[in-house]
Amino acid sequence: MSEFIPLSVPNFGTKEAQYAAEAITSGWVSTSGAKVGEFEQALARYVGMPRAVAACNGSSSLHLAALAAGIQPGEEVIVPTLTFIAAVNPLTRYVGAAPVFIGCDDSLCIDPDGVEEFCANRCTLKADGLYNNQTGARVRALGVVHVFGNMADMPRLLDIARRYRLVLIEDATEALGTRYTAGPLAGRFAGTMGDVGCFSFNGNKIITTGAGGFLVSNHPDWTEHAKHLSTQAKADVLQFLHDEVGYNYRMTNVQACLGLAQLERLEEFIAIKKARYEQYRAGLDGVGGLRILPFREEADGVRSNHWFYSLSLENTALDRDTVIAQLQARGIQTRPIWALIHEQADYPGSEAYDLDKARFYRKNIVNLPCSTNLTEADCGRVIEAVKSLL
């Protein structure tokens, strides 16, 4: 890696170039081509689902999930406030629904206690679903994000969704490869336990197609409908007849070629992510009050993909933005965690609960470089640069 250490960049090799070149020389570079179907099948096999639907990015996959789930204008969706805004817009604004924001637990994922408290004490369960006592609107779905590749508390969240008749939509855009290794959900991957799950292959994800996404579902008719909507809802391909409003959410053949090559390397990438995480933890955790936030680990019955690393400054005198600026001056790119979505300008007056931990982590976290081509030496340089700020 060069003198500048970026936050998270792709790791491409000769196989990605070979596969993409085959698509280019064949002439099948756009949304037609056999590699899209091959990538769908390969991804479905990897996560243990019968079918996967490719899309142009993770946001479009989430929009398709909301449409397939039948979320209607005026309904409400429970979502985390500590996440990227693209995890919330497709489940709410894109379909005319309203968000109810919930804070996080120490995994940075949506807090089951907060979700339970809202459903039990601020809503009424009726014969046809859950209703918000304050707004009178039906609460239709629960959006769960596996933040930074860390598994959310799925046993509890699945139980809450079942009891309160909520569609559970998993945003696994950061968590491809994260899975349960023990317990009642052993063998299940992030994104495959709820009603519908989505993945992303953006350039900073653990594998990438440049841009791209996937949808899987435990309802076969939902995946069928999502595929139909993603390809302009053509009822008659030859005659260009469309039976509902569709979308141009297709993945290209070139992207699928990159995805096939990257998927072959996923387990290698996960091993690298874990090794660099352990290096950061050994070098920084507990030093001068610094803390490297933990992932749910094998002891918790989880194998995490360790996608993004979080350095907490909570027990130091360091200021988050000053640390980011000083590391940038040393040629090291870092970033803060996202601004809380319920405070964003396009969500004025939205309901929000259980926010203390979300505000705490927003203030104290710096994300460290985590590319899969980050070398041991590069990681060591980051560690020494951070320690020099104490």
Side-chain angles (χ1 to χ4, degrees):
M1 189 170 281
S2 65
E3 183 178 347
F4 175 71
I5 300 178
L7 180 68
S8 183
V9 293
N11 186 343
F12 287 147
T14 56
K15 189 163 286 188
E16 287 84 354
Q18 175 191 336
Y19 287 9
E22 289 172 4
I24 292 168
T25 56
S26 73
W28 295 101
V29 297
S30 190
T31 53
S32 297
K35 295 302 180 183
V36 175
E38 288 183 31
F39 190 27
E40 288 178 327
Q41 292 168 12
L43 192 283
R45 282 194 303 271
Y46 178 82
V47 298
M49 295 294 279
R51 185 176 184 186
V53 175
C56 57
N57 50 50
S59 298
S60 60
S61 298
L62 285 163
H63 186 202
L64 292 171
L67 294 168
I71 298 172
Q72 298 296 313
E75 294 182 331
E76 295 181 348
V77 180
I78 301 169
V79 291
T81 189
L82 186 71
T83 187
F84 184 42
I85 202 166
V88 173
N89 285 341
L91 303 185
T92 57
R93 291 289 192 250
Y94 287 16
V95 292
V100 175
F101 290 104
I102 302 293
C104 68
D105 62 15
D106 289 321
S107 72
L108 303 182
C109 303
I110 195 168
D111 185 7
D113 289 340
V115 177
E116 177 80 55
E117 195 281 332
F118 172 75
C119 293
N121 300 322
R122 300 177 185 273
C123 297
T124 299
L125 185 61
K126 300 180 180 180
D128 62 339
L130 188 69
Y131 285 82
N132 186 327
N133 294 337
Q134 178 175 314
T135 64
R138 182 180 178 184
V139 185
R140 184 64 176 273
L142 168 62
V144 175
V145 182
H146 300 288
V147 175
F148 298 157
N150 210 5
M151 185 78 82
D153 189 347
M154 290 305 294
R156 286 199 60 199
L157 292 164
L158 286 165
D159 176 65
I160 292 168
R162 177 190 56 78
R163 286 188 285 112
Y164 292 102
R165 300 175 197 163
L166 301 171
V167 172
L168 196 152
I169 300 173
E170 285 184 80
D171 181 334
T173 53
E174 302 171 354
L176 180 63
T178 295
R179 67 172 187 265
Y180 278 101
T181 58
L185 296 171
R188 301 295 295 273
F189 283 82
T192 69
M193 292 166 280
D195 293 283
V196 59
C198 298
F199 302 89
S200 171
F201 304 112
N202 187 45
N204 66 346
K205 297 301 189 289
I206 193 163
I207 67 171
T208 182
T209 59
F214 261 94
L215 175 148
V216 297
S217 177
N218 285 301
H219 305 277
D221 55 327
W222 289 20
T223 47
E224 188 68 27
H225 191 204
K227 185 68 172 180
H228 184 60
L229 290 172
S230 74
T231 54
Q232 298 286 19
K234 288 183 180 179
D236 187 319
V237 176
L238 178 62
Q239 297 298 332
F240 294 94
L241 298 176
H242 308 263
D243 55 7
E244 57 183 313
V245 175
Y247 303 86
N248 186 12
Y249 281 169
R250 296 169 293 178
M251 177 180 282
T252 70
N253 206 46
V254 173
Q255 289 174 315
C257 288
L258 293 175
L260 284 164
Q262 289 269 286
L263 188 58
E264 292 178 13
R265 304 176 67 193
L266 176 55
E267 290 299 317
E268 168 199 346
F269 288 166
I270 291 173
I272 293 170
K273 288 278 192 179
K274 183 170 175 29
R276 295 288 78 77
Y277 169 75
E278 294 295 349
Q279 186 178 353
Y280 276 129
R281 188 158 67 173
L284 292 174
D285 195 52
V287 176
L290 295 170
R291 188 161 73 98
I292 297 291
L293 293 194
F295 290 87
R296 298 191 200 276
E297 298 282 9
E298 293 295 334
D300 306 305
V302 175
R303 193 285 295 266
S304 172
N305 73 355
H306 294 84
W307 177 60
F308 240 48
Y309 314 135
S310 296
L311 173 71
S312 178
L313 310 174
E314 63 197 80
N315 296 317
T316 74
L318 298 173
D319 171 73
R320 179 198 66 196
D321 293 342
T322 302
V323 167
I324 292 169
Q326 290 179 338
L327 291 175
Q328 182 73 28
R330 290 166 168 79
I332 298 169
Q333 183 182 28
T334 59
R335 72 167 209 191
I337 204 168
W338 313 280
L340 303 183
I341 301 177
H342 78 278
E343 297 175 348
Q344 303 283 347
D346 51 344
Y347 285 103
S350 296
E351 286 188 77
Y353 304 102
D354 186 39
L355 302 175
D356 288 348
K357 283 187 178 178
R359 289 178 174 137
F360 172 81
Y361 286 120
R362 163 62 177 163
K363 177 182 177 182
N364 287 294
I365 284 179
V366 173
N367 290 129
L368 299 175
C370 60
S371 304
T372 53
N373 47 22
L374 183 75
T375 67
E376 186 175 348
D378 290 329
C379 190
R381 181 180 148 202
V382 176
I383 289 168
E384 292 307 312
V386 171
K387 289 165 66 175
S388 74
L389 304 179
L390 292 169

